[in-house]
Amino acid sequence: MENIKVMGFTLFVFSVGLLHFISLACGAPLAPALFVFGDSLFDSGNNNLLPTVSKANFKPYGVDFVRGDTGRFSNGRLVPDFIAEFLGLPYPPPSISIRISTPVTGLNYASASCGILPETGQFLGKCLSLDDQIDLFQHTVKSSLPKHFKGRPKEQSEHLSKSIFVVCIGSNDYMSNYLKLNAYDTSKLYSPQAFAQHLLDKLSAQFRRLHSLGARKVVMYEIGPIGCTPSMTRKKKHSGKCVEESNQLVAYFNDDLLGMLQNLTSTLPNSIFVRGHAHWLGYDAIINPSKYGLLDTSNPCCKTWANGTSACIPELKPCPNPNQHYFFDGYHLTETAYSVLAGACINDRSVCSPTLRELVQM
């Protein structure tokens, strides 16, 4: 048993599922491991073990997931789950739930309410910032994985170089920091453009650290259209379907993300940093729901606290057709929406270039 100190504490469901079946039938996964970093959009249960109000380990979360209410903020699978299926790998388990043997096939380090900046979201309780998540990955690389590659460091390096790293983080740096005027003074210290650059500078340093630990194939999803979430649209006056002022805030970050990732690819040896160009895809699904088999892209499926603007109220039944909704609660997406974001990155060069299908062959 290992003791790890962290912050003082000891398109498309069918196509992705078919690819998973094919990869399993062929026997070998498309990549040796999947490592996941991010916030509540990717958290598969890390926050279950942290003293925070940001948890989803109760029904109706997981109502359509084979393992039930694991801590995923959705009715079913998340983007990393669909990617794991495509790769032919098990779902990466929450990293801080591992107590005996670290799986060689990958881990999920994502933590709800946290962000790129260490202070983001901490008013809700303890969470793992991206720095904390990389600390845990460093422990994996330095202390856990060597047990699988005894005396063979080159094999471990090759294992990591062929593994896929997926990251989705940054929305909380806006929603639970920059726009949280009663808890942070960030918006007084930074203009929107300067704050976006501040985040990108910090993220670039974090990605350089990931590279130094062995990561080579990294996919970073853009920040989604936060101005379209029920938590925003039900609180702020706006015309149209979304609060475009809030969407513009994250656009400053998204617009410069590709250049930052291209710079990392050109300067860090043997690396490929891919932008998941997902903001427009999420926005298009919200504005044109019928294109994606959706009926409702404005209202949460579950009954939530604070008039649809927050998390699901425990144990209440959700809507009868969750996968016709875009939002499951006031912030998070349904399995259908996540399948669109995952499937497009796997198959569509306009979303991920190279696509995940191409990336595993590089």
Side-chain angles (χ1 to χ4, degrees):
M1 181 177 291
E2 297 173 275
N3 291 317
I4 307 172
K5 281 217 164 190
V6 183
M7 301 183 302
F9 284 85
T10 307
L11 186 146
F12 307 105
V13 177
F14 174 74
S15 62
V16 174
L18 179 60
L19 288 165
H20 179 47
F21 173 78
I22 293 170
S23 65
L24 288 179
C26 294
L30 300 179
L34 174 63
F35 295 97
V36 179
F37 300 82
D39 52 31
S40 56
L41 299 178
F42 277 17
D43 188 350
S44 62
N46 280 305
N47 273 33
N48 296 354
L49 301 174
L50 297 173
T52 174
V53 298
S54 296
K55 297 179 190 284
N57 56 343
F58 54 86
K59 291 180 175 60
Y61 292 112
V63 66
D64 296 312
F65 188 60
V66 65
R67 300 178 191 172
D69 48 342
T70 56
R72 288 165 167 80
F73 287 79
S74 183
N75 62 306
R77 290 164 289 180
L78 310 178
V79 166
D81 299 319
F82 287 105
I83 292 175
E85 291 180 2
F86 163 69
L87 296 174
L89 293 169
Y91 300 145
S95 63
I96 61 176
S97 71
I98 300 300
R99 287 292 177 266
I100 301 173
S101 177
T102 297
V104 74
T105 52
L107 286 168
N108 185 320
Y109 303 90
S111 178
S113 78
C114 256
I116 296 168
L117 302 178
E119 65 271 20
T120 289
Q122 298 291 348
F123 67 95
L124 294 168
K126 297 293 183 183
C127 60
L128 305 173
S129 69
L130 188 52
D131 284 333
D132 294 322
Q133 294 175 37
I134 298 173
D135 285 345
L136 286 170
F137 177 64
Q138 177 173 313
H139 184 276
T140 300
V141 170
K142 302 294 186 184
S143 300
S144 301
L145 284 182
K147 296 172 185 174
H148 294 279
F149 299 95
K150 295 173 182 175
R152 305 188 304 276
K154 282 189 176 179
E155 285 189 26
Q156 178 173 319
S157 295
E158 186 177 352
H159 176 85
L160 290 171
S161 72
K162 293 180 178 178
S163 297
I164 301 297
F165 293 73
V166 293
V167 186
C168 178
I169 201 160
S171 61
N172 288 325
D173 292 293
Y174 286 93
M175 299 179 77
S176 297
N177 187 327
Y178 195 78
L179 293 172
K180 203 75 176 175
L181 305 183
N182 59 339
Y184 297 91
D185 59 359
T186 321
S187 60
K188 297 176 184 175
L189 300 174
Y190 296 94
S191 68
Q193 295 90 334
F195 185 66
Q197 191 58 54
H198 178 51
L199 290 179
L200 288 165
D201 290 344
K202 176 71 171 172
L203 183 62
S204 178
Q206 290 163 331
F207 280 165
R208 288 179 182 275
R209 188 174 166 216
L210 264 185
H211 180 272
S212 73
L213 292 168
R216 294 295 181 268
K217 299 179 179 182
V218 180
V219 177
M220 169 68 189
Y221 275 88
E222 292 175 330
I223 300 174
I226 63 172
C228 302
T229 61
S231 64
M232 286 277 187
T233 59
R234 294 184 175 211
K235 288 179 181 177
K236 294 180 178 287
K237 290 184 178 179
H238 62 284
S239 57
K241 209 160 190 179
C242 303
V243 182
E244 298 302 346
E245 180 184 358
S246 298
N247 286 338
Q248 179 56 50
L249 273 181
V250 300
Y252 294 120
F253 176 92
N254 289 335
D255 289 347
D256 290 333
L257 176 63
L258 179 60
M260 185 271 279
L261 296 175
Q262 288 175 332
N263 180 61
L264 291 175
T265 300
S266 64
T267 58
L268 297 178
N270 305 310
S271 69
I272 307 171
F273 287 83
V274 180
R275 175 194 57 172
H277 189 30
H279 181 99
W280 70 266
L281 180 62
Y283 188 82
D284 190 52
I286 290 165
I287 301 300
N288 303 296
S290 61
K291 285 171 60 176
Y292 302 88
L294 298 168
L295 292 178
D296 189 327
T297 58
S298 299
N299 303 297
C301 170
C302 75
K303 294 181 174 63
T304 84
W305 304 105
N307 186 35
T309 64
S310 190
C312 299
I313 299 173
E315 306 304 325
L316 295 184
K317 284 188 176 181
C319 64
N321 55 340
N323 282 322
Q324 292 177 342
H325 280 246
Y326 186 88
F327 294 104
F328 191 65
D329 63 14
Y331 303 96
H332 306 100
L333 285 52
T334 60
E335 182 179 79
T336 294
Y338 285 128
S339 74
V340 169
L341 295 173
C345 192
I346 290 166
N347 297 309
D348 188 345
R349 288 180 63 87
S350 69
V351 176
C352 289
S353 182
T355 64
L356 271 168
R357 185 191 300 281
E358 294 167 333
L359 186 63
V360 296
Q361 299 171 353
M362 300 172 77

